[in-house]
Amino acid sequence: GQNIDQPTEMTATEGAIVQINCTYQTSGFNGLFWYQQHAGEAPTFLSYNVLDGLEEKGRFSSFLSRSKGYSYLLLKELQMKDSASYLCAVRAESFQKLVFGTGTRLLVSP
Amino acid sequence: NAGVTQTPKFQVLKTGQSMTLQCAQDMNHEYMSWYRQDPGMGLRLIHYSVGAGITDQGEVPNGYNVSRSTTEDFPLRLLSAAPSQTSVYFCASSYRGEKLFFGSGTQLSVL
């Protein structure tokens, strides 16, 4: 079966750093994606990891450990506009099929 | 370059009615897919296509049909709407299974 776990909700302060964790148990692994989704909008791509390690892209970084079935998304210098849901998705046994977690709703306060 | 265009944005149906959600992309992507998003459930794959003339079932295909006659278009048909199909639907496309580009979504209510 496929199982992806993320915290339901997190809160943080503007300017701070927040880490959103994702653990997965899937049949096969061909990469992990992070998407951002603002309320009432479509998800948009943030990052992709297929090898172990850290991928950095501006204020956002994503880490992957395949042996532990674990990833995190690190958001630095938080801004109010970062308030959104963050979706972890794993490409499991099929190259086209993505399995999504339920998402982590992040609330950034002043 | 419009990306992924999805229509309609909102739709209300009565139980038993049928309808088609339209999806078109202008990025020449081979892969297209339909997801539904329900509170607390995350995005779930309904059907997907890896190219014109090829479709396959995802995680929750029952009650939905798809076809892919062209690279650009991937409509989703609800055969006989049920209240359990009340959801937000997203169409998405990608180049060879890389990052997904999503349409703006359709909020569907079945009464």
Side-chain angles (χ1 to χ4, degrees), chain B residues 2 5-6 10 15 22 33 42 53 56 66 68-69 80 99 101 103:
Chain B
T5 302
Q6 193 179 329
F10 302 94
T15 297
Q22 301 292 343
S33 50
D56 207 345
V66 292
R68 185 93 180 270
S69 56
S80 177
K99 63 181 180 181
F101 291 83

Side-chain angles (χ1 to χ4, degrees), chain A residues 4-47:
Chain A
I4 298 177
D5 287 319
Q6 307 178 232
T8 302
E9 197 168 283
M10 299 181 71
T11 59
T13 306
E14 199 174 12
I17 299 173
V18 71
Q19 177 175 313
I20 302 174
N21 295 326
C22 171
T23 58
Y24 63 90
Q25 293 174 310
T26 56
S27 51
F29 180 84
N30 288 292
L32 186 144
F33 295 81
W34 284 95
Y35 288 85
Q36 180 189 58
Q37 185 177 26
H38 286 100
E41 297 182 8
T44 55
F45 170 79
L46 283 179
S47 69

Side-chain angles (χ1 to χ4, degrees), chain B residues 13-59:
Chain B
L13 292 177
K14 294 181 179 178
T15 297
Q17 286 185 317
S18 62
M19 78 158 295
T20 299
L21 278 63
Q22 301 292 343
C23 178
Q25 54 90 11
D26 61 359
M27 297 174 282
N28 202 31
H29 286 169
E30 297 168 330
Y31 297 102
M32 296 188 75
S33 50
W34 277 100
Y35 289 85
R36 60 177 289 174
Q37 187 173 38
D38 302 291
M41 300 285 291
L43 285 158
R44 291 183 292 169
L45 182 64
I46 304 171
H47 285 285
Y48 68 98
S49 168
V50 298
I54 305 170
T55 63
D56 207 345
Q57 295 181 351
E59 183 185 354

